[in-house]
Amino acid sequence: MIDTIEQLKEERPDLVELFESMSKEDLLKQCYLECIDAINMEERVSLFMSECTLNMSKTNYELSALQTMINQKKEHEINEFCYYEICDGQLDEEILKAIKERASEIEI
């Protein structure tokens, strides 16, 4: 248990301070709230994975793996856009106009 306290102290010393200042009853209530939040987080992560990646899985991924999957999804969407714009039989200037219109919607 000491290892977990030390780990949390390194990552979130503010939480350790908060938890140590709570009564046993308040701390137990906080544990239940944290569990409910973790359960709900599973649903949020599942939605994110299905909407923002091509390879949705319920496996736990490291942040770098998630970023790779997000980038792959972005590349796929760009490729899809290019394919359908070019394959619609439009002239080059129409394609360029469509791309510029979509690009103008991005806030940088």
Side-chain angles (χ1 to χ4, degrees):
M1 179 156 159
I2 292 175
D3 289 340
T4 57
I5 294 171
E6 290 304 315
Q7 183 180 352
L8 189 58
K9 276 184 181 179
E10 287 179 21
E11 294 179 26
R12 293 290 308 271
D14 58 315
L15 287 180
V16 173
E17 185 178 332
L18 174 67
F19 293 157
E20 288 178 349
S21 70
M22 291 180 164
S23 68
K24 183 177 178 180
E25 184 178 314
D26 288 340
L27 186 57
L28 189 57
K29 182 179 176 182
Q30 186 65 37
C31 288
Y32 293 144
L33 291 171
E34 297 293 337
C35 288
I36 291 168
D37 186 51
I39 292 166
N40 292 334
M41 188 181 308
E42 288 179 23
E43 291 179 31
R44 295 189 298 267
V45 169
S46 180
L47 174 63
F48 169 81
M49 293 293 288
S50 68
E51 294 296 318
C52 299
T53 70
L54 294 173
N55 304 313
M56 190 257 175
S57 173
K58 293 188 178 197
T59 306
N60 291 332
Y61 291 101
E62 291 184 13
L63 291 177
S64 61
L66 288 172
Q67 187 63 57
T68 299
M69 285 189 278
I70 292 167
N71 291 341
Q72 289 171 342
K73 171 81 174 193
K74 287 178 184 178
E75 286 295 318
H76 176 76
E77 289 172 349
I78 291 168
N79 291 339
E80 217 174 30
F81 168 77
C82 292
Y83 174 82
Y84 287 114
E85 287 300 322
I86 292 171
C87 292
D88 275 346
Q90 298 178 2
L91 301 173
D92 288 346
E93 57 270 3
E94 292 173 330
I95 295 169
L96 184 58
K97 181 182 175 189
I99 291 171
K100 285 182 178 180
E101 285 176 6
R102 290 188 186 202
S104 69
E105 295 176 10
I106 295 176
E107 294 180 22
I108 298 178

